[in-house]
Amino acid sequence: MRQKIVAGNWKMNKTLEEANILASEVTGMVADEVKGDAKVIFCVPFPYLLPIKNQLGNNARISVGAQNCSEHESGAYTGEVSAPMLKSMGIPYVILGHSERRQYFGEDGKLLAKKVDVALKHGLSPIFCCGEPLEVREANGHEALVKKQVEESLFHLDADALKKVVIAYEPVWAIGTGKTASAQQAQDMHAVIRKHLASKYGQAVADTIIILYGGSVNAANAKELFSCPDVDGGLVGGASLKSRDFTEVIKGA
Ligand code: PGA
């Protein structure tokens, strides 16, 4: 059985005070209401990593993740944050290749392969995002594109390294739009990704890889999406910013 994960991607939202309140409300609700053993990750803006991590203490169910890191390990890269820095703060996860990074910051498959490598080298688990824009889906190119994204940034890894990666399939047309992929569309793409991993690493390895769905996951659709055999939880944006909504999403896992 693969571990279920529900990761909240806070993106560039919340003041420090609001962030502390959100984390503490979700932590309380999860402790009081959520059964099952889904793992929860708060992927918070860099400045909030330590305060939120300290607030969580040694919470066994909830941990923190960053939303990006540099491909470089150190040096004259003003404004950047490195994987060794995250590691030194005890941060276990880092989102890499989110479609907003690809779209607004020009991140491509090659660069992301470097980021994946540097994250893994320093003991972080990448949450690697892939997913097609609307025009690619409409032209029926989604399977080919997502397979290429996975290949470009992950296929150079050996099996042991790959097992530390969490994949998030996030169709770009579903992110922040309120237009969720249907459970069938999500399941189909997750199965395509898993099959592609199996073609390179074998079925046994592919079966261990956690693949999250992201794109307008909310309290109403989480359970159905997370019940699909190849969907191992979610990467959640908007609905992770409200404690009640996020808790309901977690309950779906
Ligand atoms: P959304 O964002 O849930 O607001 O669609 C998901 C994401 O970008 O990770």
Side-chain angles (χ1 to χ4, degrees):
M1 268 283 277
R2 289 182 294 270
Q3 169 77 54
K4 290 260 192 215
I5 293 180
V6 180
N9 177 9
W10 292 8
K11 309 193 181 183
M12 196 175 75
N13 292 296
K14 304 284 178 191
T15 62
L16 177 59
E17 190 188 357
E18 291 164 349
N20 275 318
I21 293 171
L22 175 60
S24 114
E25 285 179 356
V26 174
T27 305
M29 289 179 191
V30 166
D32 291 345
E33 302 172 28
V34 180
K35 301 187 183 65
D37 64 350
K39 201 178 209 174
V40 177
I41 307 170
F42 298 144
C43 295
V44 309
F46 288 130
Y48 305 158
L49 283 167
L50 267 192
I52 301 294
K53 181 177 185 289
N54 290 339
Q55 187 198 110
L56 288 170
N58 53 7
N59 191 308
R61 300 191 67 173
I62 310 182
S63 51
V64 286
Q67 298 172 12
N68 179 35
C69 73
S70 170
E71 70 274 28
H72 303 291
E73 294 187 272
S74 68
Y77 301 101
T78 301
E80 289 288 273
V81 172
S82 72
M85 290 175 187
L86 297 175
K87 182 62 185 171
S88 74
M89 293 155 68
I91 307 302
Y93 293 97
V94 58
I95 297 175
L96 293 175
H98 190 279
S99 68
E100 288 148 18
R101 300 289 321 170
R102 293 178 191 260
Q103 188 180 344
Y104 306 136
F105 301 93
E107 297 193 0
D108 62 14
K110 253 194 179 154
L111 176 83
L112 292 169
K114 288 189 198 159
K115 292 193 176 198
V116 165
D117 284 344
V118 76
L120 288 170
K121 179 176 171 190
H122 293 282
L124 296 156
S125 282
I127 300 174
F128 174 78
C129 302
C130 54
E132 79 287 354
L134 184 59
E135 62 275 16
V136 173
R137 163 78 53 171
E138 283 174 349
N140 206 26
H142 47 294
E143 293 188 8
L145 178 70
V146 169
K147 279 156 78 172
K148 183 163 163 268
Q149 289 172 332
V150 168
E151 242 168 76
E152 277 178 347
S153 303
L154 300 181
F155 268 24
H156 63 288
L157 300 174
D158 64 26
D160 284 341
L162 183 81
K163 286 180 188 169
K164 301 192 175 88
V165 176
V166 174
I167 295 177
Y169 168 63
E170 299 204 306
V172 179
W173 47 269
I175 295 177
T177 58
K179 233 200 235 171
T180 324
S182 67
Q184 191 60 55
Q185 286 173 319
Q187 168 55 29
D188 288 349
M189 280 307 290
H190 284 228
V192 164
I193 294 168
R194 202 176 301 287
K195 197 166 159 217
H196 200 43
L197 295 173
S199 73
K200 162 93 177 157
Y201 294 96
Q203 194 64 48
V205 172
D207 282 342
T208 67
I209 306 299
I210 296 167
I211 308 179
L212 310 180
Y213 168 80
S216 297
V217 175
N218 59 38
N221 60 30
K223 197 170 177 56
E224 192 189 356
L225 285 161
F226 299 167
S227 303
C228 298
D230 285 294
V231 178
D232 305 313
L235 180 56
V236 186
S240 75
L241 297 174
K242 291 187 182 147
S243 49
R244 175 45 60 198
D245 290 6
F246 192 48
T247 304
E248 294 305 317
V249 169
I250 297 165
K251 285 182 187 170

